[in-house]
């Protein structure tokens, strides 16, 4: 609900609004913010800033691995997405990464811990869209940095206009295979 107790509908959220909500576990009201930016007729970036709740006595370790579409079809929205999603790094407890992709993929950093560090990264010249290359490079970062005691989250940011390389679904299947194999190999150690 919004500050005046009316329901905030996702389709109607056009500017930052302060929201209050209660969890079933605590029944305490806490404040968060939601923001939506319209990119095109049916494209939006939705940003949420929510408080962190203690879920257990042991703090969960967390890392984000962003695969950002830096193709011509994204245009200036690549920078907008990078800057908007950098706020997730406030939740990260371990090194996170940013990989950009167009017709190929380039990992810009594997040591991100602060939103400002991600926002400061300069994006290369834009090209075509190979979603599979971005997913593969991000998965490689997870495996390289991948400690088993850290929860790794891969965030794919794209308009979905794939136009070069193998179909994205094959990259997702390969990512699953590589990560499963990596986990099995580490269990044997």
């Amino acid at each position: 609900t919004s500050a005046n107790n009316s329901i905030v509908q996702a389709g109607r959220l056009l500017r930052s609004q302060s929201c209050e909500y209660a969890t079933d576990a605590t029944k305490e009201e806490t404040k968060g913010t939601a923001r939506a930016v319209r990119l095109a007729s049916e494209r939006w970036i939705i940003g949420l800033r929510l408080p962190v709740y203690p879920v257990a006595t042991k703090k969960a370790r967390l890392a984000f691995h962003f695969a950002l579409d830096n193709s011509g079809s994204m245009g200036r929205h690549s920078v907008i997405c990078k800057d908007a999603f950098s706020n997730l790094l406030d939740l990260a407890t371990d090194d996170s990464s940013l990989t950009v992709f167009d017709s190929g993929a380039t990992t810009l950093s594997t040591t991100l811990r602060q939103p400002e560090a991600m926002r400061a990264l300069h994006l290369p010249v834009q090209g075509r869209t190979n979603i599979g290359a971005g997913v593969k490079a991000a998965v490689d970062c997870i495996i390289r940095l991948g400690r088993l005691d850290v929860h790794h989250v891969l965030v794919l940011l794209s308009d979905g206009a794939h136009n070069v390389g193998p179909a994205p679904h094959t990259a997702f299947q390969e990512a699953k295979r590589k990560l499963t194999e990596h986990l099995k190999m580490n269990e044997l150690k």
Side-chain angles (χ1 to χ4, degrees):
T1 63
S2 68
N4 64 3
N5 292 328
S6 62
I7 295 175
V8 176
Q9 298 174 343
R12 304 188 71 144
L13 183 63
L14 297 176
R15 61 186 183 287
S16 294
Q17 295 187 15
S18 178
C19 302
E20 296 179 6
Y21 54 92
T23 64
D24 290 337
T26 63
K27 296 293 183 194
E28 297 175 7
E29 288 189 87
T30 53
K31 293 190 183 257
T33 59
R35 181 176 58 147
V37 177
R38 185 179 210 145
L39 300 178
S41 65
E42 294 184 21
R43 294 182 186 168
W44 294 80
I45 292 178
I46 299 174
L48 299 173
R49 185 171 284 272
L50 303 173
V52 177
Y53 296 103
V55 270
T57 55
K58 183 179 176 184
K59 187 174 181 178
R61 297 180 65 187
L62 178 65
F64 291 96
H65 304 280
F66 300 95
L68 172 62
D69 184 344
N70 191 43
S71 65
S73 64
M74 287 286 286
R76 66 183 175 84
H77 301 303
S78 293
V79 173
I80 293 169
C81 286
K82 174 182 66 87
D83 293 347
F85 280 87
S86 67
N87 289 329
L88 287 174
L89 292 176
D90 281 335
L91 302 174
T93 60
D94 283 67
D95 287 341
S96 297
S97 66
L98 173 62
T99 299
V100 295
F101 63 92
D102 49 24
S103 52
T106 304
T107 299
L108 299 182
S109 179
T110 59
T111 58
L112 296 171
R113 292 273 183 122
Q114 299 295 322
E116 298 79 24
M118 186 163 150
R119 283 188 214 111
L121 292 173
H122 178 71
L123 298 181
V125 175
Q126 296 177 314
R128 299 187 69 194
T129 309
N130 186 346
I131 294 173
V135 170
K136 180 188 179 309
V139 167
D140 289 345
C141 284
I142 292 171
I143 290 171
R144 258 192 332 272
L145 300 173
R147 296 182 45 172
L148 295 180
D149 60 338
V150 176
H151 182 78
H152 295 272
V153 178
L154 192 153
V155 180
L156 174 63
L157 304 165
S158 177
D159 61 7
H162 178 82
N163 57 21
V164 67
H169 70 83
T170 60
F172 301 144
Q173 291 168 348
E174 179 63 13
K176 178 182 176 183
R177 186 197 63 74
K178 281 178 79 172
L179 290 169
T180 301
E181 182 179 296
H182 175 70
L183 287 172
K184 285 181 182 176
M185 285 177 40
N186 282 297
E187 287 175 359
L188 295 175
K189 290 182 181 179

